[in-house]
Amino acid sequence: YHYCYTLTSSKLLDTLNILVATAFFTFFGATMAVSDDASKSNVGAFVYIISPLDGATVTSPVTIQFGLEGMGVAPAGVEKSGTGHHHLIVDAPLPALNEPIPADGNHRHFGGGQTQTTIELAPGTHSLQLLLADHYHIPHNPPVHSNIVTIEVR
């Protein structure tokens, strides 16, 4: 007997979307679960660290400048489509993407709409990453996060 499984174009697209999403999140180390209640991010939106550059050697305190393309910045608590506020992840992986971002030394909130900060860091190697979140501190869907920037503090 020959068994044949016919993949319709709809099933094929669903399968490809799942494979692409799995590869993306596996490659970038992000948690796959996102909140159904999260604000939608704009297509093509991205966040990045302007300064310091990846691989930079700096002294403490360190000034970190945030960049954002394709969306706007609004303070926490302000519900406005296409906006969010920055969270700086220091020396930690991205948090769960389906719940509010924790507030601690590794997850720094900039709910006032700030686009830069100056922080004290001990000598050594540190990782920095930005994650945009909505008015409830929940990452957008799909999430908008930067690449990890690694710096050396002397």
Side-chain angles (χ1 to χ4, degrees):
Y1 295 104
H2 295 285
Y3 292 95
C4 181
Y5 180 74
T6 304
L7 213 52
T8 65
S9 61
S10 175
K11 286 182 182 177
L12 179 60
L13 285 176
D14 288 345
T15 302
L16 287 174
N17 284 337
I18 290 168
L19 289 173
V20 168
T22 301
F24 175 83
F25 286 112
T26 300
F27 179 77
F28 288 103
T31 305
M32 286 190 64
V34 294
S35 175
D36 290 335
D37 296 328
S39 298
K40 300 294 180 200
S41 57
N42 293 347
V43 174
F46 64 97
V47 65
Y48 57 99
I49 295 175
I50 297 169
S51 171
L53 296 175
D54 188 41
T57 299
V58 298
T59 57
S60 193
V62 180
T63 298
I64 303 156
Q65 295 178 311
F66 313 152
L68 176 63
E69 296 288 332
M71 290 183 71
V73 175
V78 174
E79 185 175 2
K80 184 176 179 188
S81 178
T83 67
H85 64 280
H86 295 288
H87 296 79
L88 178 64
I89 314 302
V90 180
D91 297 331
L94 286 174
L97 300 175
N98 60 345
E99 56 190 48
I101 299 168
D104 57 36
N106 297 104
H107 305 87
R108 301 175 191 217
H109 290 241
F110 298 93
Q114 303 94 314
T115 57
Q116 77 172 39
T117 188
T118 300
I119 61 173
E120 293 285 340
L121 290 172
T125 302
H126 297 278
S127 65
L128 308 171
Q129 188 171 25
L130 290 173
L131 177 59
L132 199 67
D134 68 12
H135 54 289
Y136 291 127
H137 301 282
I138 298 174
H140 292 82
N141 186 2
V144 180
H145 62 82
S146 71
N147 292 328
I148 295 171
V149 169
T150 303
I151 60 171
E152 183 72 27
V153 178
R154 287 195 177 169

